[in-house]
Amino acid sequence: MSTTSISLQDIWRARAAIAGHIRRTLLVPSPALSTAAGADIWLKLETQQDTGSFKLRGATNKLRSLSEEARAKGVVAVSTGNHGRGVATAAARLGVRCVVFMSELVPDNKRRAIEDAGAEIRIVGKSQDEAEIDAQELVAADRMTMIHPFDDAHVAAGQGTIGLELLEDLPDIAAAVVPLSGGGLIGGIAYALKAASPDIRVAGVSMDRGPAMVESLKAGMPVPVEEEASLADSLGGGIGLENKLTFALVRDHVDDTVLVSEDEIARAMTWLFRNEGIVAEGGAAVGVAALLAGKLSLPAGPVVLVISGRNIDMARFHEIVAEA
Ligand SMILES: *Cc1c(COP(=O)(O)O)cnc(C)c1O
């Protein structure tokens, strides 16, 4: 399999590899959002995915692609959140050793969730960059496999299985609106949808605080961004200056990008909870945020918003929903 591109066959192979190991999540119509937006709006509920986010798809596909020898050596991830949970869970199920690196600044509850999934935790330094350096050292010393959160063909193809499910459940789909950070999620989905029809529109939504992919697309190459605290914490971080897959994937297959503010994200989280009973983390609610803010240009026909995860501290969630 290529490291710099994916094919439709890769996505179907991923689908076969992860079948029975991940949940095939529901696609539901949203009458309330449809009325609010004057369009036919559907929600793809990766909030209901095992581990609480779609990241289990890519992680499972990647882990299952490894040789017996690589599995015996184990895997490493650098993550404070959904990627760490996904990799830890996929590895535990296959009986593969998994070490997750994170910085001292990671809150206890996040650390425990990854530990409970069965991973060894290494706490190093005061930033993810320091954690990354230590992780690379372990990978080299123990000949383990680093599992990247997005810039990996097996990972992006795994996320792309969402696109196949959308085509099965809603063959008339006219557009998909997808949270955008490193671009593995939207890249995989866009590839699958555009292979079915280039007329299906795909829009990415990021927070306006440090949107690395959007800045990189503007610059015509991967650029660094200043990391800022955001309700959409799962969308934070750079795309990697040495990006080999997702920058081109997003540039070539995604039609539009939209940015949303913190207020818009909080409003969307509140809206989803009150109207649909859905708990979505900030990074998962950005599509709804863009829709409610009137920032999306919608084609005629069914529009799917991917609600990518639900992992948020409940005390924080209550604050946000009470304030908005
Ligand atoms: C990782 C993540 C994203 C972004 O996925 P990318 O592949 O990095 O673009 C969106 N939503 C949630 C909940 C995530 O965990």
Side-chain angles (χ1 to χ4, degrees):
M1 189 159 164
S2 165
T3 55
T4 56
S5 65
I6 58 172
S7 68
L8 187 59
Q9 192 174 21
D10 294 331
I11 301 175
W12 279 105
R13 283 200 188 104
R15 153 88 159 226
I18 70 179
H21 304 286
I22 58 112
R23 289 188 196 147
R24 193 189 185 296
T25 54
L26 287 176
L27 176 69
V28 298
S30 174
L33 267 183
S34 298
T35 303
D40 184 13
I41 306 294
W42 296 67
L43 304 174
K44 176 65 168 169
L45 297 180
E46 286 296 298
T47 46
Q48 298 305 308
Q49 187 55 260
D50 198 358
T51 73
S53 91
F54 72 88
K55 289 234 173 41
L56 185 64
R57 293 176 184 260
T60 300
N61 190 43
K62 179 68 183 181
L63 266 287
R64 299 192 80 85
S65 77
L66 297 178
S67 66
E68 278 309 316
E69 197 192 345
R71 289 188 197 189
K73 300 262 184 229
V75 299
V76 173
V78 183
S79 168
T80 59
N82 293 334
H83 174 60
R85 274 198 211 197
V87 173
T89 302
R93 287 177 180 169
L94 287 169
V96 169
R97 179 185 177 209
C98 174
V99 183
V100 177
F101 282 77
M102 50 186 79
S103 84
E104 287 166 12
L105 305 178
V106 174
D108 261 4
N109 60 327
K110 286 198 167 185
R111 199 193 70 204
R112 235 173 298 120
I114 292 173
E115 224 161 19
D116 288 349
E120 295 167 40
I121 306 288
R122 299 278 171 89
I123 309 275
V124 280
K126 291 216 169 3
S127 72
Q128 283 302 102
D129 288 349
E130 284 178 59
E132 176 82 36
I133 292 166
D134 280 44
Q136 291 293 359
E137 276 173 18
L138 178 67
V139 165
D142 286 8
R143 294 202 285 133
M144 297 174 80
T145 303
M146 179 74 93
I147 310 294
H148 198 279
F150 53 85
D151 199 26
D152 178 290
H154 285 98
V155 171
Q159 325 304 26
T161 58
I162 293 171
L164 301 181
E165 291 173 18
L166 295 180
L167 290 163
E168 285 172 337
D169 292 350
L170 192 62
D172 290 332
I173 180 172
V177 180
V178 185
L180 169 61
S181 177
L185 176 64
I186 198 172
I189 293 174
Y191 197 95
L193 295 179
K194 294 285 184 181
S197 166
D199 294 338
I200 300 174
R201 311 294 294 172
V202 181
V205 188
S206 301
M207 70 291 192
D208 59 16
R209 296 191 172 178
M213 182 63 83
V214 174
E215 292 296 326
S216 298
L217 291 170
K218 242 192 275 169
M221 61 181 187
V223 294
V225 288
E226 195 76 39
E227 256 195 76
E228 297 176 62
S230 168
L231 284 174
D233 57 345
S234 55
L235 304 186
I239 68 164
L241 299 182
E242 308 289 313
N243 187 292
K244 51 190 182 356
L245 170 69
T246 57
F247 174 72
L249 199 56
V250 172
R251 182 193 60 201
D252 297 345
H253 299 284
V254 172
D255 299 295
D256 308 296
T257 59
V258 175
L259 299 180
V260 292
S261 70
E262 296 299 299
D263 282 351
E264 287 163 351
I265 296 169
R267 180 164 168 242
M269 292 169 77
T270 305
W271 201 97
L272 275 172
F273 186 64
R274 292 197 181 144
N275 293 278
E276 302 282 357
I278 293 170
V279 174
E281 58 183 282
V286 292
V288 174
L291 184 74
L292 291 174
K295 289 180 169 178
L296 296 174
S297 51
L298 299 172
V303 174
V304 174
L305 311 186
V306 176
I307 314 297
S308 48
R310 62 148 191 270
N311 291 321
I312 176 170
D313 177 64
M314 266 306 121
R316 184 79 188 99
F317 183 77
H318 281 290
E319 269 170 34
I320 293 162
V321 170
E323 272 168 23

